[in-house]
């Protein structure tokens, strides 16, 4: 893995990137972080998937993996990505890898299948490879929430006006958005998750009787989707590194 150390050298702050061996996932590992990295970046317009674009000298996915590696509760990290990038991910970051699918749900299904045979996963936190501002504190809080809940997700109230086709008046207070990180009790999630489902929110594949925690207090972690998102994320990550 790549570890980052900051030190004072000749009265200047110096950041060091050091390579440290990462343990492979064990059959006994119970708390797993799965990073979904199967996107090809069509909307971003780059010749490489946006998660491998560099922001302030570091790959977008590198920021995500760094946050996951700082977790005090995770036993292992799995990146589900196109096989073309497996050697790069293992060599640079020392993570376990599995092949992505043709859709996001297909990618998640492949990750679940890998974990079923390579770990003893009981708690699973799912993170997007294109949300580089994700924080370790939220990841660890979600692991803890799974002691009492079947699933958890970041939620956000809608502050813009909301419209709906075929309906003149819409009450935005009845709606909210969901995003990663998300967390699941593995057995329940693996049992009910279907790759062919048209649902884009994985929690909605669980039974309606599931006990779900919606975290409206978690920060909204911007997703790198379009080229215009890049400047905002560059500024955010740059400001964070200066603290």
């Amino acid at each position: 893995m790549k570890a980052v150390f900051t030190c004072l050298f000749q009265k200047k702050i110096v950041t060091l990137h050091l390579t440290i061996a990462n343990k492979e996932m064990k059959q006994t590992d119970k708390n797993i972080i799965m990073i979904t990295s199967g996107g090809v970046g069509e909307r971003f317009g780059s010749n490489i998937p946006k998660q491998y674009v560099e922001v302030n000298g570091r790959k977008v996915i590198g920021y995500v993996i760094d946050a996951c590696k700082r977790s005090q509760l995770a036993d292992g990290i799995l990146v589900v990505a196109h096989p073309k990038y497996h050697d790069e991910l293992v060599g640079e970051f020392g993570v376990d890898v599995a092949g992505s699918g043709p859709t996001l749900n297909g990618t998640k299904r492949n990750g679940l299948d890998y974990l079923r045979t390579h770990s003893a996963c009981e708690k699973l936190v799912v993170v997007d490879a294109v949300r580089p501002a994700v924080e370790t504190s939220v990841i660890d809080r979600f692991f803890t929430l799974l002691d009492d809940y079947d699933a958890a997700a970041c939620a956000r109230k809608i502050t813009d006006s909301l419209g709906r086709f075929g309906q003149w008046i819409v009450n935005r207070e009845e709606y909210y958005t969901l995003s990663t990180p998300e967390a699941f009790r593995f057995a329940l999630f693996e049992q009910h998750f279907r790759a062919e489902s048209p649902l884009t929110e994985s929690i909605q594949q669980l039974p309606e009787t599931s006990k779900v925690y919606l975290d409206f207090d978690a920060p909204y972690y911007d997703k790198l989707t379009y080229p215009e998102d890049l400047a905002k994320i560059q500024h955010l990550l740059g400001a964070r590194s200066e603290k």
Side-chain angles (χ1 to χ4, degrees):
M1 64 172 280
K2 294 282 187 176
V4 181
F5 297 90
T6 302
C7 62
L8 186 65
F9 178 71
Q10 294 182 349
K11 298 182 179 181
K12 294 181 179 180
I13 298 296
V14 178
T15 300
L16 306 176
H17 293 264
L18 303 180
T19 301
I20 298 177
N22 183 71
K23 75 176 186 70
E24 293 183 358
M25 191 174 296
K26 297 178 181 178
Q27 291 282 354
T28 54
D29 287 345
K30 296 181 178 181
N31 291 354
I32 307 295
I33 302 172
M34 182 169 75
I35 302 173
T36 54
S37 184
V40 297
E42 291 180 353
R43 290 172 292 183
F44 191 71
S46 174
N47 59 351
I48 61 172
K50 53 186 177 288
Q51 59 268 40
Y52 302 106
V53 170
E54 290 198 357
V55 175
N56 299 337
R58 186 146 180 79
K59 291 184 179 70
V60 167
I61 194 171
Y63 289 100
V64 178
I65 293 174
D66 285 348
C68 295
K69 284 184 176 291
R70 288 192 293 268
S71 169
Q72 298 297 306
L73 299 178
D75 297 318
I77 300 170
L78 173 67
V79 180
V80 192
H82 191 285
K84 175 181 178 180
Y85 298 97
H86 283 190
D87 288 344
E88 178 181 335
L89 290 165
V90 173
E92 186 170 351
F93 302 109
V95 292
D96 281 71
V97 291
S100 57
T103 63
L104 176 58
N105 281 346
T107 292
K108 290 179 179 178
R109 182 70 258 176
N110 288 356
L112 295 176
D113 292 343
Y114 181 94
L115 293 176
R116 188 178 64 252
T117 58
H118 290 79
S119 74
C121 187
E122 295 180 357
K123 296 180 179 181
L124 176 67
V125 173
V126 181
V127 181
D128 283 337
V130 290
R131 296 185 191 269
V134 65
E135 295 173 300
T136 309
S137 59
V138 174
I139 292 172
D140 281 351
R141 183 163 77 248
F142 276 22
F143 272 126
T144 302
L145 283 168
L146 291 177
D147 290 337
D148 301 309
Y149 294 88
D150 296 318
C154 292
R156 192 183 192 191
K157 292 183 178 180
I158 295 174
T159 56
D160 288 330
S161 297
L162 186 65
R164 184 173 184 268
F165 294 110
Q167 183 174 339
W168 186 243
I169 298 175
V170 179
N171 181 6
R172 69 182 183 188
E173 297 299 324
E174 297 177 350
Y175 297 86
Y176 53 85
T177 63
L178 293 170
S179 63
T180 61
E182 296 175 310
F184 305 89
R185 288 184 178 173
F186 182 81
L188 179 68
F189 187 43
E190 203 271 337
Q191 176 186 354
H192 292 279
F193 186 82
R194 299 291 180 269
E196 64 274 14
S197 172
L199 297 173
T200 59
E201 172 48 55
S202 298
I203 283 179
Q204 293 169 350
Q205 292 203 42
L206 298 179
E208 290 189 30
T209 54
S210 301
K211 190 177 180 182
V212 178
Y213 184 89
L214 300 181
D215 191 346
F216 286 95
D217 295 323
Y220 178 77
Y221 300 115
D222 289 290
K223 182 180 180 182
L224 183 60
T225 303
Y226 301 103
E228 54 266 31
D229 299 329
L230 194 56
K232 182 179 180 180
I233 289 176
Q234 283 177 329
H235 176 75
L236 174 63
L237 295 174
R240 181 181 292 181
S241 67
E242 293 173 0
K243 292 183 179 180

